[in-house]
Amino acid sequence: MKHTILSRSLRGLFAGGGAAGLALLACPARAQAPAPPAPIPRVEITGTLIPRATRETAAAVITLNRNDIERSGKTTVAELLQTLAVDNQGSVPSSFGGGFASGASGISLRGLGAASTLVLLNGRRVAPYGLADDGQKVFSDLNIIPTDAVERVEVLKDGASAIYGSDAIAGVVNVILRRDFRGTTVRASFGQSREHDGNDGVASLTWGKGDLQADRYNLLASLEYGRRAEIWNRDRAERAHIGRGDLRPWGFSAQETLGGTGTITANNMAGNAINGNVRNPDTLDYVNRGNLAGAGFTRTFPGAACANFTRHPQGDPGGGCLVDSQQLYNQVQPRQERVNFFGRSTFQATPEVQTYAELNLYRSESASSSTPPAVSGAVGYPGGPVNSANVMLGATHPDNPYFGTAARLRYMAADVGPRATRIDSDFVRLLAGARGSVGPWELDTALLFSQNQIDSERSSYPQRDVLFALLNPTSANVAAARANPAYAALPPGTVWRIAENAGLNSPVLYAALAPSLNNDAKSRIAQLDVRASRQLTDLPGGALGIALGGEFRRETAELAPVPGTERGNIIGLGYSAYKGARNVAALYGEVLAPVHPSVELSAALRADHYTDAGDAYNPKFGVKWTPAPTFALRGTYARGFRAPSTAENGVGGLAAYSTAVDPLRCNLGVAIGCNPAQVAIITSPNPALSPEKSRSVNVGMVWDPYKRTNIALDLWEIKRKNEINQEQSDAAIRAGRIARDPSGATRPGDPGPITAVLASYVNSARTEVRGADLDLTQRVDFGPGTGDVTINTKWTHLFKWLRTEQDGSARDFAGTHGNCDVTNCVGTPEDRVNFGLSWERAAWRVAANVNYRGDLENTLFKNDPAGCASHVANGDPAPAGCELPSFTTVDLTFRWKPTTRMEVFGSAQNIFDKIAPPDPLTYGANAYNPLDYAGAVGRFFTAGVRYTF
């Protein structure tokens, strides 16, 4: 009799004595009974603490084994996970070097944010990354995972707080590393783009010794080194709009701040020019310093001619000097170097008791670059906004074209150099435990310590007080700056020469103006846990199983502010700091009841106590009905929670940047107020925050209609209330919690541009996310000698992503470019699809992987009354039709095993060299969406070899 995959996996469920794989110790057989069958192998599955004989549970789980990882062609687990269809808005890409959490990578299941996706290593927690995403959202860095040590990755797609506690609202990613290995394997690979940059080299060594059955021990060690070179925007100049800030060739205008850096946009409004734009003290019109016919000039500067600084196409109607600073100085991806070690020792002390220990060590060094500093940026700190719009060239400054009268300056300080950030991350995780049998119970207990230490260094960020004194040395400015020893050591009367005269400045002047800035962060978890499971009695469908457990952990986190940001003194860098600690205690239990040969019920309950957030009680219920050997229905209902992080309810605060429309100025007819512009958002922690709470429902089916066909379809909904967020910037603007620059007014009645929005972390009313997942696998055998073909499709569709604020206003982000108050402003695609086609025969395997991102309305939310979020110069919506087109890439991979010990492999990512469509709204990349990163890099080739001794 032939059986399908599902029927074979469920046979243990229909067999009376071994149903559901719950038997932890075989029941004694009666004397007259025949010898019992061999025990059914049991596996541990993410989302349950009870070992089972089948991987099909009531919950939906994606399992990616080593072959899946290799077929993807990705060099890190982080890259693979972020291409999954279930990942959405709020994920943290490694390519975002300008973010608060640069140097790390995080996944966001269901678009609910990296903070609501729990990442486990071998079923236990890891210390979160030391830097919170957006200065708020604490998450686990996926880069800590050594690829060669991975056995499989399991993604639980429904809530799991009843099993794992806080942070599992959207689901769980459990990375399971190898637990026993014998032999030695070396692997090396090298990748490079078609532009001969972005070099990605990886080398690893994995060694194992000892057979647990024969030798009673196993030792495993895996060491991996990787180095990825930076890719500069300027090296993608032939890829249309990619990496550009000047989008005039695509219909935008300089007056919309999408025509290059240095524009003069209107009366009393100008960008920061590489040679300086200066305001006429009488008319308030800005004039470029290189303009020899500048109105009211008392001095002219032939050396300041725009042509002496750039060959970039000009044409600003206002007469500014245009450069594309984003293309010149920003990066598609930052440089990163990493070393990863995983070691595990296992010792079978007695037939019943096994001890184990694990050690993870990870170090990475990443370096990113961005545009040179501007002299007039607004920043924020806990005391409020600090506006530098009134920065001036002093009346006697030798580079002032209005010599004799102080004049406002707008200057991009290329002489200071591009702003650079270096992040060093050190991660350690030490686990020691024992597992074994005590009577009818199977016990597992472990002591865990995990820590992440971050050291950051930033350069080319000017100190505001020194900058003001060096440009306009009034007595007040000099007195304020003399508190800085480096400035006080400069000769009296020292001024900062700009643009064509910057070569006259001394190194000590730049050291005083923009010294290196260092700060550090640390997160730590110490945990003790005990888990126990056993069978109790026989039910009609098999054995009733239970699991009980408890844990206690200590969590601490601290981020020191960058020196100077605590008083708003670093131009271009906001304040971010937090500090806090708490204790967490939990008790939990789980029951698995096969009440009928075709019906399996499960239930779990967990109680958590947080010393800073109170108590939480979370149940979960599941049911699986198998009316036929090839068909099963499944469903779960769960409640979950996320306790406020230290960044949200501790001591500290955040001053960051976002984009916002100014409705007041827009209604007054100031056109620039109708388009999103950068503003500072100053957010304060809130110790009165309540935990987020959620309710999730998942209903689905698994069907094997034919021997080699498997179909899984799930409908799911997650409702989250008390969601912890920064207040929406537009809501705070409507409430009037803003700061403006009145001196930036362009006409009578104009209040001037918004410089900062004042907000706090709040428990928003609720979020409702609803969608469907389809997973289809088809295997085809064309006959002897022809090989096997496997087709797999994973499709996630969002029906709704609705967020409702405290004031009752609601925004549905599904299929739009919102929510732009979270990481990167990448949008919320309604559809993401992964399609894989592989052929395997003898020593060969060839695979094609297609990744699809659905189109996005270029609006901030569905039916936004403000209409399209971006417009070209003639007022038409941008991109055309106010829609960011869908994007699809195709990757090819191969593997060839010329001998049993050697394997040659390679891949071609984005084989058709597709260019990502233009995206003028996102701030996570320049003119393209970070979700379409492969379309910015272009075709990328990797080749490698693996040898086993």
Side-chain angles (χ1 to χ4, degrees), residues 14-79:
F14 306 139
L22 293 175
L24 302 176
L25 290 176
C27 294
R30 295 178 181 175
Q32 67 273 22
I40 297 174
R42 294 180 299 274
V43 293
E44 296 178 7
I45 303 169
T46 303
T48 177
L49 300 175
I50 301 176
R52 307 166 53 90
T54 170
R55 290 192 177 277
E56 294 289 349
T57 70
V61 179
I62 298 174
T63 300
L64 304 171
N65 57 32
R66 294 181 57 78
N67 285 335
D68 296 321
I69 296 171
E70 292 171 0
R71 274 195 294 262
S72 73
K74 306 300 183 184
T75 57
T76 68
V77 174
E79 289 178 325

Side-chain angles (χ1 to χ4, degrees), residues 265-471:
T265 54
N267 175 257
N268 203 16
M269 297 181 65
N272 296 280
I274 196 170
N275 58 349
N277 290 325
V278 182
R279 191 178 71 170
N280 185 324
D282 297 324
T283 66
L284 304 186
D285 287 325
Y286 277 91
V287 186
N288 188 260
R289 287 182 64 254
N291 187 343
L292 298 181
F297 277 10
T298 58
R299 287 185 178 182
T300 58
F301 299 91
C306 187
N308 293 337
F309 292 86
T310 180
R311 295 291 181 266
H312 190 73
Q314 298 302 303
D316 174 18
C321 179
L322 302 182
V323 300
D324 195 329
S325 58
Q326 287 92 336
Q327 186 182 54
L328 289 173
Y329 299 104
N330 285 6
Q331 297 169 319
V332 174
Q333 75 176 25
R335 177 182 64 81
Q336 186 174 46
E337 189 171 8
R338 64 187 187 277
V339 179
N340 216 319
F341 173 81
F342 171 68
R344 179 181 172 95
S345 65
T346 310
F347 177 61
Q348 195 70 42
T350 71
E352 294 81 19
V353 178
Q354 182 184 99
T355 62
Y356 56 90
E358 296 176 358
L359 175 64
N360 297 80
L361 300 173
Y362 169 77
R363 177 174 176 82
S364 75
E365 298 177 358
S366 62
S368 59
S369 172
S370 63
T371 57
V375 298
S376 56
V379 295
Y381 75 111
V386 176
N387 185 13
S388 298
N390 62 340
V391 61
M392 293 187 177
L393 285 174
T396 59
H397 194 290
D399 298 326
N400 184 359
Y402 294 102
F403 193 82
T405 306
R408 281 200 178 190
L409 174 67
R410 296 293 181 262
Y411 176 53
M412 185 185 76
D415 56 304
V416 175
R419 289 171 291 179
T421 301
R422 175 177 173 143
I423 303 287
D424 294 342
S425 174
D426 291 284
F427 173 83
V428 61
R429 178 180 180 269
L430 179 62
L431 179 75
R435 60 194 310 170
S437 302
V438 178
W441 291 92
E442 288 287 332
L443 300 179
D444 187 358
T445 182
L447 181 63
L448 167 71
F449 173 81
S450 185
Q451 176 179 287
N452 184 229
Q453 170 79 41
I454 301 292
D455 296 300
S456 305
E457 180 181 6
R458 292 173 174 83
S459 58
S460 298
Y461 284 87
Q463 300 192 86
R464 183 180 185 276
D465 51 7
V466 174
L467 181 146
F468 270 56
L470 289 175
L471 290 176

